[in-house]
Each structure stands twice: as structure tokens, then as C-alpha cells.
């Protein structure tokens, strides 16, 4: 299934002292979703912000709030994030032992359910919950910090998950180290939703952010153009741009 590319700026890279203005700026700059990274200093070695901050910024944009919970346990907090205005709530497969139950709880709250996989986690972790999912998030860095380098090892996992998804209406999101230089490769592997923090919040103005978002989007769209490697079966390599038939 070919779905439009969505760009989800991570506000972890925003200027927190001007968070409201930063939300308005990425909204005007063409962000599709707003990606919110929640870190607990336990599941990941960093603490970011919680449901109260999400609730405070929720009225500032109509865009979808894509809430990435890097917390363990997650279940006791799902309702708080739903009430704060999350549209998609993503939990980590590694954060609890009852993933199926967590996903049911998210949908019972009326929200879209996502699961995220750390770089070392196999795609087999989601094999038996595919029908409970609206989104799969492949971490392309180890979660906890913005500004890290993209892990090329994840391209094969993205390809495998794209094939597992089949015709299901599940978004395949990538998160971590995404730039205009690797957007084509992740899109070619099957990603349709790209999170980017530092690559979007570079520069100062909404115009800078718009140029950054557009560059990532154009590269990702180009990566989806039918390519010679589709015929030969050779997998896309990092940075490879479209080779049109
Ligand atoms: C990492 C977070 C990412 C991060 C992305 O734990 O989940 O969303 O903010 O930032 P960049 O794009 O700078 O890697
Ligand atoms: Zn994230």
C-alpha cells in the first residue's frame, strides 16, 4: 500500500523557553504531525517532559499529536496522555511484558496505537499484535537523546516490517538521526512517516523550518519512485537516490 509521506518534527529539539512559538512555527512550516518524546530517566537515560506539557501545547495547533512514550511502565500513564490530547500513543515493546494488553488499552481510550522497537529488538516482537496496531515506530538510534547518528542496520528491519504489514492500514515510522541525506533510503525501505528533530529545528525562523521539512519530504518522496533495484532485487543503500527506470 502506498501512502503519502508524513513528516513529524520532534519538539525535543525545539527551544523549550519558547515552546509555544516553536509549535506555531513548525505548524506554519508544514509539519504533518507533532512528535512528542516522553522520557522517564528509567527506560531511557534522560528525562524530557510529561502529560502536563503536552496538555499545555495541545491548543496551539490542530495537527496530530504523535506521542512516543519512552517510559516503563507505560500502562499507568496511558489515560493521562490520552486526556492531555495525544492522537497516537506509542509504547515500546521492551517497556513491559504485556504488549497486547497495552495496545488494547490505548485503543479503548479512543486513540491510535503504536509500538516502537529499539535497534536491538527484532521485528518478531510485533508478529502477533499486528492487528492491534495503527503505527510501528522503528528506532533508528538508541532512544534517549536527539542529535545521534542514524543506524544503517535498521534498514533491513524496516524492509521486513513493511512486508509484515502487507495491506494493513498501519503507518511505518522511523525516528532518530533522520536527515535529508538518509530520507530516500528509509522511504525506499518502506517507511512512510519520518520523525526528525535536529534536522528540522536547524535555523531560527519558521521559513528555515519549512525549508528543512520540505527537503526531507522531497528526498523521501524521491526514494519511493520505482527504482532499478526493485527489478534487480538489490536493496537500497544509504543515501541512494532514485534511479528511474
Ligand atoms: C530519541 C527520540 C527522537 C529524537 C529525534 O529518543 O525518540 O524522536 O528526538 O531527534 P533527532 O532527529 O535529532 O535524532
Ligand atoms: Zn521519538
Amino acid at each position: 500500500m502506498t501512502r503519502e509521506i508524513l513528516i513529524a518534527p520532534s519538539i525535543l529539539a525545539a527551544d523549550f523557553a519558547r515552546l509555544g512559538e516553536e509549535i506555531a512555527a513548525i505548524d506554519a512550516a508544514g509539519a504533518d504531525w507533532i512528535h512528542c518524546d516522553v522520557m522517564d530517566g528509567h527506560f531511557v537515560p534522560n528525562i524530557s517532559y510529561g502529560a502536563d506539557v503536552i496538555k499545555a501545547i495541545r491548543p496551539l495547533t490542530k495537527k496530530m499529536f504523535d506521542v512516543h512514550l519512552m517510559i516503563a511502565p507505560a500502562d499507568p500513564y496511558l489515560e493521562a496522555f490520552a486526556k492531555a490530547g495525544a492522537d497516537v500513543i506509542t509504547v515500546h515493546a521492551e517497556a513491559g511484558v504485556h504488549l497486547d494488553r497495552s495496545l488494547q488499552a490505548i485503543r479503548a481510550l479512543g486513540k491510535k496505537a503504536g509500538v516502537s522497537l529499539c535497534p536491538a529488538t527484532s521485528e518478531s516482537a510485533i508478529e502477533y499484535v499486528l492487528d492491534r496496531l495503527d503505527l510501528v515506530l522503528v528506532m533508528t538510534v538508541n532512544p534517549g537523546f536527539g542529535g545521534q547518528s542514524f543506524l544503517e542496520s535498521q534498514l533491513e528491519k524496516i524492509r521486513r516490517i513493511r512486508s509484515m504489514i502487507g495491506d494493513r492500514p498501519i503507518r511505518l515510522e522511523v525516528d532518530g538521526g533522520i536527515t535529508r541525506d538518509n530520507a530516500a533510503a528509509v522511504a525506499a525501505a518502506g517507511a512512510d512517516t519520518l520523525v526528525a528533530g535536529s534536522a528540522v529545528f536547524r535555523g531560527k525562523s519558521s521559513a528555515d523550518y519549512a525549508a528543512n521539512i520540505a527537503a526531507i519530504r522531497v528526498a523521501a518522496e524521491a526514494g519511493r519512485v520505482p527504482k532499478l533495484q526493485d527489478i534487480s532485487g538489490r536493496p537500497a543503500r544509504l543515501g541512494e537516490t532514485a534511479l528511474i527506470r
Side-chain angles (χ1 to χ4, degrees), residues 25 29 180 199-215:
R180 64 186 73 190
V200 166
F201 287 94
R202 196 164 286 143
K204 282 201 161 46
S205 66
S206 185
D208 292 329
Y209 299 167
N212 298 337
I213 289 171

Side-chain angles (χ1 to χ4, degrees), residues 2-18:
T2 304
R3 313 183 81 196
E4 65 175 320
I5 294 283
L6 298 181
I7 308 296
S10 165
I11 57 170
L12 191 65
D15 177 353
F16 285 171
R18 299 185 302 107

